[in-house]
Amino acid sequence: MPAVSTELQNLTPVFEMIEVIYLAKITIASILGGIVGYSVRKTHPNGIRIFGITALSACGFSEIAIHLYYIYQVDYTFNIIAGVVTGIGFLGAGLIFEDRNNAVRGISAAATLWAAAVIGMAIGINMYIIGFGMTIIVFLSYLFSGSEHKTQAKINKIPHSHSSAIPTSLHKKENTQ
């Protein structure tokens, strides 16, 4: 079993009204993330759930980091936030793929997931104006940008070469029989 740092050994359970406030902030982040997810519902039917959970998770991690710092004077704040950034990058990369027409898809979904995480973190660290402002900006960007499918159809009409940044080993191989 790995050794536990003396900082973490000295943690004692504390239930105060602060945890109810944390839960309220996590709820706000989830609602804002859900609003962002609602704006992408045409291309991602589960957007409300995915983006809401992403925002509440990022907010939860932010709350844990702040709680450890202010209540217990344990400074793992930057490590926790860096972990959230890395995790969201990993999830976002999973949304990006190349379709049958060699068109790259999912970049806007990955960017929106990234925004939902930032919204959650902003609410978690008491930056409400940033959180609400980003929600409005993301929502309006989807509202006024039109359908992603229409934009993608226009892009697909542009001649596409195989000299993209995607390794040639990932391109669909032709049957040579």
Side-chain angles (χ1 to χ4, degrees):
M1 181 176 242
V4 178
S5 72
T6 56
E7 295 168 327
L8 292 179
Q9 288 176 351
N10 295 330
L11 296 181
T12 55
V14 176
F15 176 78
E16 296 177 13
M17 192 62 179
I18 192 78
E19 291 187 43
V20 176
I21 294 169
Y22 292 160
L23 184 59
K25 289 164 61 175
I26 289 169
T27 303
I28 291 168
S30 179
I31 291 168
L32 294 178
I35 291 170
V36 170
Y38 180 78
S39 68
V40 299
R41 71 191 180 286
K42 292 177 185 173
T43 55
H44 294 83
N46 294 324
I48 295 172
R49 179 177 36 180
I50 293 167
F51 293 94
I53 290 172
T54 300
L56 82 87
S57 300
C59 183
F61 278 117
S62 299
E63 291 303 327
I64 290 168
I66 288 174
H67 189 78
L68 285 173
Y69 183 74
Y70 285 110
I71 304 298
Y72 299 110
Q73 287 75 44
V74 176
D75 192 11
Y76 292 125
T77 308
F78 295 113
N79 295 353
I80 292 171
I81 291 173
V84 171
V85 171
T86 302
I88 295 302
F90 177 76
L91 289 174
L95 292 173
I96 301 171
F97 64 95
E98 184 179 13
D99 67 9
R100 286 182 232 132
N101 299 325
N102 295 326
V104 177
R105 312 240 337 152
I107 293 175
S108 62
T112 307
L113 186 67
W114 191 265
V118 175
I119 290 166
M121 291 179 79
I123 297 300
I125 59 175
N126 297 327
M127 298 180 80
Y128 295 103
I129 293 173
I130 299 293
F132 280 96
M134 283 186 64
T135 301
I136 291 167
I137 291 167
V138 171
F139 186 80
L140 291 176
S141 72
Y142 273 94
L143 185 66
F144 293 117
S145 68
S147 173
E148 184 177 333
H149 294 295
K150 290 178 189 173
T151 305
Q152 191 62 45
K154 290 177 187 174
I155 292 171
N156 286 343
K157 290 180 183 178
I158 299 171
H160 180 78
S161 68
H162 286 286
S163 61
S164 66
I166 299 171
T168 55
S169 62
L170 296 177
H171 291 287
K172 187 176 178 182
K173 296 191 179 189
E174 304 273 335
N175 190 355
T176 57
Q177 296 179 358

